[in-house]
Amino acid sequence: MNLHEMTAHELHELLQAKQISSAELTADIFSRIDAVEDKIGAYITLTRDKAVADAKAVDEKISRGEKIQPLEGIPCAVKDNICTKGIKTTCASKILENFVPPYDATAYGKLAAQNPVLVGKANLDEFAMGGSTENSGFHVTRNPHNLDCVPGGSSGGSAAAVAACEAVFALGSDTGGSIRQPASFCGVVGLKPTYGRVSRYGLVAYASSLDQIGPITRDVTDCALVLNAIAGRDEMDSTSTSADVPDFTKSLVADVKGLRIGLPKEYFVKGIDADVETAVRSAAKKFEQLGAQVTEISLPHTDYAISTYYLIAPAEAATNLERYDGVSYGARVDGADVVEMMTNTRTEKFGAEVKRRIMIGNYALSAGYYDAYYLKALKVRTLIQRDFVDAFKTVDLILAPTAPTAAFKIGEMVSDPLKMYLQDVCTVPLNLAGLPGISIPCGVTKDNLPIGFQLIGKALDEATILRAAYTYEQA
Ligand code: GLN
């Protein structure tokens, strides 16, 4: 097997045993990037020189006979809305095209403390708004399984980099599905942690009450290792939780006997692709064979999740994106006076989808509409949260499709925002409820495109999700 195809935990063994060097591994990843990146377009920025230097430092440590940490010397990608000190962080937006953060996001800083080798900053939908990576202000990313298809989004660059072996693992962010849906479209593992499990400090804000950073990996073991590295309370993010962080590798136990798993009937929605439904239902069967108890459950307010999300997320986005005014951050387009300068900057530098959401958000928040839209959405959010609380009285985990279809064709939906939004039906409810969820590959469609299913857990119970995911993967 080629080095670039291996998992982080396999590579760690080889590194520690001095059977390979991080320099060799990093060179192998970059030759893979040189061979395929033209076609895939997973990255916005490559950090080749830094990677070579960092790999060398790890090799020196190993040659001194020192023990290395689990992710030390392993090449990774980071979504380009996660701040990296001294390295451009663009959010795939022209407005931040040349923005170089003066500090690291906490999650990246914690990861960097393990000395992985950063390969580059991965493409995304502008400001993480989208589900296909077609909204990037720079270029489209293609699905490694079929270059005519999208990789999903908004962490499409991160998922495509891992699937195309241009990185061993990646960090993504998930506001309404942006880790899980691209993971499912690209045939890899993606985990959205519980809201608050991972610090949002230095994650460029899209919708602050929903955003979470999480791992995109080749397997469940790597997912646990990356979550171990990034989780935990951070004084710089008051919404981060001080709950204990377990060692998630302890969850890598193949045993689901007696585990109660619920299949929410509302997630097998009208319009779900037949291949997806078959694959997800057979994953549920597999759990039954492995000793879990699978029952049908109901999450009755699921129907309202899309409308609720597409009011709350744009409302928060409209507020968060006010700061891009041509003064404090990023690009400026001059004008006759300050108002014209701000207007010109925002008109020219924001893409169409970002503008659409700023308008929807400001509309929903404006006097006279606030009660009818934003406040109503907050109330429905509570109902959706309660659905989960009720469901978790009788089950330990919820199993559902990650998305109603596999990857779609590039260009197929981009002109129909509503159709694109409806794609998020299975992923946004978790963000509204703050719950953790993982997407695990479970087969392919007739056209050979990956399918993923989702395991949803109770708040802060990533451990059970990882145990079940690991059990399924081993089987
Ligand atoms: N597709 C969803 C959206 O466009 C989710 C995006 C995300 O999770 N960042 O808002």
Side-chain angles (χ1 to χ4, degrees):
M1 196 196 265
N2 290 310
L3 293 181
H4 57 250
E5 291 169 9
M6 297 173 77
T7 61
H9 60 94
E10 289 164 345
L11 290 163
H12 171 76
E13 298 298 325
L14 296 177
L15 283 168
Q16 189 71 80
K18 298 189 188 170
Q19 288 176 19
I20 61 165
S21 68
S22 178
E24 220 178 297
L25 169 59
T26 302
D28 187 56
I29 288 279
F30 275 104
S31 59
R32 175 72 183 167
I33 290 173
D34 291 338
V36 303
E37 176 61 4
D38 264 5
K39 293 182 224 103
I40 307 287
Y43 290 100
I44 292 175
T45 303
L46 287 170
T47 48
R48 204 181 286 252
D49 294 345
K50 175 180 157 48
V52 170
D54 290 352
K56 190 160 164 257
V58 173
D59 288 336
E60 281 161 8
K61 189 168 167 184
I62 297 169
S63 69
R64 288 195 299 270
E66 288 176 40
K67 269 232 155 342
I68 52 167
Q69 304 175 76
L71 300 171
E72 195 146 8
I74 312 281
C76 67
V78 171
K79 189 178 182 178
D80 208 22
N81 61 348
I82 298 172
C83 284
T84 43
K85 185 178 175 180
I87 300 165
K88 245 184 356 180
T89 299
T90 67
C91 291
S93 180
K94 294 250 160 63
I95 214 158
L96 288 177
E97 192 163 9
N98 297 308
F99 175 62
V100 179
Y103 64 95
D104 280 334
T106 299
Y108 174 67
K110 286 181 150 226
L111 180 67
Q114 284 213 17
N115 303 321
V117 172
L118 178 70
V119 168
K121 300 297 297 287
N123 199 18
L124 63 151
D125 288 297
E126 185 176 3
F127 285 104
M129 297 177 191
S132 68
T133 315
E134 292 165 291
N135 296 336
S136 168
F138 303 125
H139 61 262
V140 170
T141 298
R142 293 174 182 274
N143 190 313
H145 296 270
N146 180 336
L147 297 175
D148 295 329
C149 291
V150 302
S154 63
S155 313
S158 297
V162 174
C165 304
E166 297 182 77
V168 179
F169 69 91
L171 293 186
S173 72
D174 190 313
T175 304
S178 278
I179 289 175
R180 292 160 286 153
Q181 182 255 29
S184 95
F185 281 15
C186 290
V188 295
V189 173
L191 172 78
K192 182 201 94 77
T194 308
Y195 183 78
R197 180 60 102 182
V198 177
S199 168
R200 290 181 298 106
Y201 180 70
L203 167 66
V204 178
Y206 159 19
S208 309
S209 77
L210 304 160
D211 300 338
Q212 259 305 278
I213 295 175
I216 297 179
T217 57
R218 295 228 165 88
D219 72 358
V220 177
T221 302
D222 281 5
C223 187
L225 291 169
V226 178
L227 186 60
N228 270 355
I230 63 176
R233 167 76 187 162
D234 175 17
E235 290 307 318
M236 301 302 280
D237 172 7
S238 62
T239 64
S240 71
T241 170
S242 47
D244 279 346
V245 181
D247 175 357
F248 292 106
T249 61
K250 296 246 159 62
S251 303
L252 304 173
V253 177
D255 179 16
V256 289
K257 276 180 216 75
L259 198 73
R260 299 165 305 166
I261 298 178
L263 288 181
K265 58 173 194 255
E266 293 83 0
Y267 282 55
F268 294 85
V269 285
K270 282 193 291 300
I272 186 173
D273 182 277
D275 290 350
V276 171
E277 174 152 10
T278 307
V280 175
R281 288 200 187 276
S282 62
K285 274 258 150 20
K286 186 85 212 168
F287 275 109
E288 232 164 17
Q289 289 160 11
L290 292 166
Q293 298 166 23
V294 180
T295 50
E296 186 174 271
I297 59 163
S298 172
L299 296 165
H301 296 93
T302 303
D303 249 6
Y304 304 102
I306 292 282
S307 350
T308 305
Y309 173 86
Y310 277 99
L311 284 166
I312 292 175
E316 294 184 20
T319 310
N320 277 323
L321 270 58
E322 270 173 26
R323 70 190 62 157
Y324 306 104
D325 54 7
V327 179
S328 326
Y329 297 92
R332 168 183 297 184
V333 180
D334 285 333
D337 55 24
V338 75
V339 173
E340 204 184 285
M341 180 279 287
M342 287 181 185
T343 308
N344 290 348
T345 300
R346 292 169 69 88
T347 303
E348 210 173 287
K349 299 295 181 180
F350 280 141
E353 183 60 29
V354 172
K355 287 179 191 159
R356 181 178 296 123
R357 295 197 189 193
I358 291 173
M359 286 191 279
I360 294 172
N362 280 322
Y363 183 87
L365 289 172
S366 55
Y369 296 109
Y370 182 94
D371 288 354
Y373 293 107
Y374 182 68
L375 192 64
K376 179 81 80 44
L378 290 184
K379 290 177 180 167
V380 180
R381 182 177 189 171
T382 303
L383 296 175
I384 291 167
Q385 284 163 343
R386 283 190 197 150
D387 279 357
F388 284 105
V389 171
D390 289 343
F392 283 123
K393 286 178 185 152
T394 57
V395 298
D396 305 303
L397 283 180
I398 295 171
L399 190 157
T402 303
T405 66
F408 43 89
K409 288 259 157 60
I410 291 172
E412 187 180 318
M413 287 209 221
V414 79
S415 56
D416 188 346
L418 190 58
K419 202 165 157 199
M420 190 80 98
Y421 297 169
L422 290 170
Q423 272 282 324
D424 299 334
V425 53
C426 304
T427 46
V428 297
L430 278 70
N431 300 77
L432 290 168
L435 300 175
I438 199 169
S439 180
I440 299 289
C442 64
V444 291
T445 62
K446 288 187 279 308
D447 305 322
N448 253 319
L449 288 166
I451 300 170
F453 74 91
Q454 199 176 192
L455 289 171
I456 306 162
K458 293 177 197 155
L460 296 173
D461 194 14
E462 289 87 359
T464 303
I465 292 180
L466 288 166
R467 172 158 66 93
Y470 181 79
T471 308
Y472 177 82
E473 185 186 72
Q474 296 304 305

